[in-house]
Amino acid sequence: MRKTVVIAFMNLICALCVIAQDAPLAGSLAEQDSALAAVGHGRLDSMQYIQNVIIYGRRPYEEVIPAQVLTGKQLEGLNSHSVADAVRYFAGVQLKDYGGVGGLKTVDIRSMGTNHLGVFYDGIQIGNAQNGQVDLGKFSLDNIEEISLYNGQRSSIFQSAKDYGSAGTIYLRTRRPKFKPGKRDNLNVSFKTGSFGLVNPSVRWEHKLNKHMSLSVNSEFTYATGQYHFRYRKHYSDGTLAWDTTAVRRNGEVRSWRVEGGLFGVMNGGQWHAKAYYYDGSKGIPGAIVNNVWKHAQKQWDRNFFVQGAFQRRLTDRYELMVNAKYSRDYLHYLNPDTTLMYIDNEFWQDEIYISTANKYNILTDWDVNLSVDYQWNSLDATLTGFGYPIRHTVLTALATAWSWHGFKAQGSLLYTLVNDRSSARSGGVVVGKMNRYSNKVTPAVFLSWQPWLERDFNLRAYYKRIFRMPTFNDLYYTDMGNITLNPEYATQYNVGFLYRLLTSDGFLAGVKFSADAYYNYITDKIIAVPKGTGQYRWMMMNVGKVKIRGIDASARTTLRFPADVVMDINLSYTYQRAQDYTNPADNEDGGTYKGQLAYIPWHSGSVVGHLNWHDFDLNYSFIYVGERYHTSANTRENHEQPWYTHDLSAGYVFRLGKTTTLKVSGEVNNLFNQYYDVILNYPMPGCNYKLILKFDI
């Protein structure tokens, strides 16, 4: 009898270990997605089933509002070169792409504007006090391990005060060194070539210093001519065709070099990392195709450098500490040599110092509280005449709490923001005027989640958040355009939704995940540029906007198993948005902007991503659809834009050259059916293009 009990107990332990490693039913969404893929790949064949055994235990904490996540294999299969290309596949995202390999690429979540989006790199925000925009096209996927998108804010309360300060956030997590038993070094070398004269080598080296510390160095070079054929059509106001021609997109040359290194360490009850990053790039700006001008001569040079570090440790059974710090320096040089418009040769220098501390305390088993305090210093220098040379001091304090009881979870937070701007205009090196500006605000957020049936992975969720964004340095102080009287732009968010997951260990259907959210956003004091005086060549910034946004985001994922070890993952996303301008009720006549759909916001958009794997071969397909929209809030016939969509296809095979050495050869075809389209009016996008990728791992 005793022997039988021992054998049964050992089988139980083995089964639990397999379940814990291959198919966790709780934890973060990324872990659950990994479990879904693991089940699909048949990694549970060795599980031993034991009848009439009931296991009791506390389920690990799960996010109140789960993120949309892209990881590892998913990122590789998206035919995407930059982070901007990858986030297009998230529900609720609009990408503004100004054309070509080097065109500016910014992201807008749920039509609230690019400046309401926070972008975090290894847990610390990427700032741009000058214009508030982060060009995601500059961030390659070569060293990115995971991209996460959160609406509202990240559900974990143990975070910096900065994490509470945006209407939506994108988290970029770089690759952390992982070593197989007996290995102390990993080397990855890749080379990409293809259309537009692309030459893109990269190398990543990881070294295990000891059992507690490792380092990683990654470097990448990119060159492309940026030239491609495009089709240009012009219609008269009555809809008849004026002309239809093809041409070559020029002045799109890109040349950039990126290098980053990191140290990673673990300790008893905690971990830390430090990172240094440098980017040096130059690119031509193709410009808009207007007034029969097909070529532009504008150039831009960028140099971005930062060092940052993070430390996290549990000091007692109840208290946990996190400290983040960063210094960055950014240089921008913009040149427009075209004297027929306006000769411009401007240089800008930004500096930032940031330090944050977060303190989490466990009051009761299911009740945590966190206090975070951040300080940030920004300055901007420029070669503009009469520039304000602003300096900004920002202090953020966040008090948050999280409580869970059975299937119910709740989080609440209060964020206090104090901003002090100081600027001074100079003339001939002499200070001619000073300005001080203070702003302090308190903004709340509440997040709720409820699992009605504990035996089913079905969750209802809702949240409310009030947040604002400060005017940027350009908004306030740009010479002859800034407006120092601007108020912050407020956004109020409401969201309700649900999430359902089903994991199975056998059969054709390995798992399903489906989520949907309905939301309403209201933006006041929206900051826009308006004509200054009677001419259209001088502008200034003003608070005049009111925007109401109603929408639905839905996404689904499933994993299917076929004979002969063939596994297929399918991801679907859909977004409906009604984003209307409520600024001026008097502007309500035909051709007015009142209640008009915002510029470039489609009513319908969506994507399909499919990945098929068979041993060392994988096949990927992706489809993006963007429905009809208008290029201004005046929703008239002449401002109407037709829908566009693209099909992308890629295939790859892994050659195993030894026990730990592999060579992966991949080929991509983007815009498979050679559709000509503009994301932004008069900025034509590339047609069908190709890419060959070689990846060598040791």
Side-chain angles (χ1 to χ4, degrees), residues 302-470:
D302 295 278
R303 289 199 298 269
N304 309 109
F305 168 77
F306 68 75
V307 289
Q308 67 180 43
F311 172 90
Q312 179 179 336
R313 188 173 187 181
R314 180 176 292 277
L315 300 180
T316 70
D317 291 340
R318 293 181 177 270
Y319 174 64
E320 195 167 356
L321 171 69
M322 179 170 63
V323 178
N324 296 327
K326 177 180 180 179
Y327 168 75
S328 68
R329 182 170 178 84
D330 299 323
Y331 168 78
L332 168 64
H333 180 196
Y334 174 78
L335 174 66
N336 179 13
D338 188 354
T339 56
T340 61
L341 297 173
M342 179 184 292
Y343 180 81
I344 300 174
D345 187 2
N346 293 334
E347 296 179 86
F348 301 89
W349 294 265
Q350 286 191 70
D351 287 280
E352 177 181 305
I353 297 174
Y354 170 75
I355 187 167
S356 166
T357 177
N359 306 268
K360 188 178 76 169
Y361 187 77
N362 178 230
I363 300 176
L364 298 174
T365 303
D366 296 311
W367 185 15
D368 295 329
V369 65
N370 179 71
L371 176 65
S372 301
V373 180
D374 295 6
Y375 169 75
Q376 182 172 309
W377 175 87
N378 295 94
S379 71
L380 179 63
D381 197 356
T383 56
L384 293 172
T385 302
F387 189 63
Y389 302 94
I391 294 176
R392 174 172 290 178
H393 300 269
T394 305
V395 177
L396 302 103
T397 304
L399 179 62
T401 185
W403 175 70
S404 61
W405 181 71
H406 296 285
F408 180 78
K409 301 182 182 70
Q411 288 184 1
S413 64
L414 286 174
L415 174 65
Y416 171 72
T417 305
L418 172 65
V419 180
N420 177 17
D421 281 5
R422 298 181 181 180
S423 68
S424 58
R426 299 178 188 174
S427 179
V430 178
V431 176
V432 296
K434 292 185 178 181
M435 189 277 294
N436 279 13
R437 174 190 173 92
Y438 289 87
S439 180
N440 58 89
K441 308 290 180 182
V442 177
T443 49
V446 178
F447 292 77
L448 304 172
S449 175
W450 180 42
Q451 185 177 356
W453 306 283
L454 296 181
E455 69 277 6
R456 296 184 182 179
D457 203 349
F458 175 78
N459 292 269
L460 299 172
R461 61 200 187 195
Y463 73 81
Y464 159 82
K465 184 172 184 178
R466 173 84 164 161
I467 198 63
F468 72 96
R469 67 102 169 172
M470 279 293 296

Side-chain angles (χ1 to χ4, degrees), residues 87-100:
V87 299
R88 297 179 302 169
Y89 296 94
F90 288 138
V93 167
Q94 297 84 40
L95 173 69
K96 289 188 176 181
D97 191 330
Y98 288 84

Side-chain angles (χ1 to χ4, degrees), residues 563-567 611-619 653:
D565 297 326
V566 176
V567 180
H611 170 74
L612 185 145
N613 177 264
W614 178 67
H615 297 292
D616 292 328
F617 173 80
D618 61 83
L619 179 68
Y653 187 81

Side-chain angles (χ1 to χ4, degrees), residues 247-258:
V248 176
R249 191 75 158 141
R250 301 187 184 278
N251 195 42
E253 182 180 271
V254 177
R255 188 188 305 268
S256 66
W257 177 59
R258 173 185 59 82

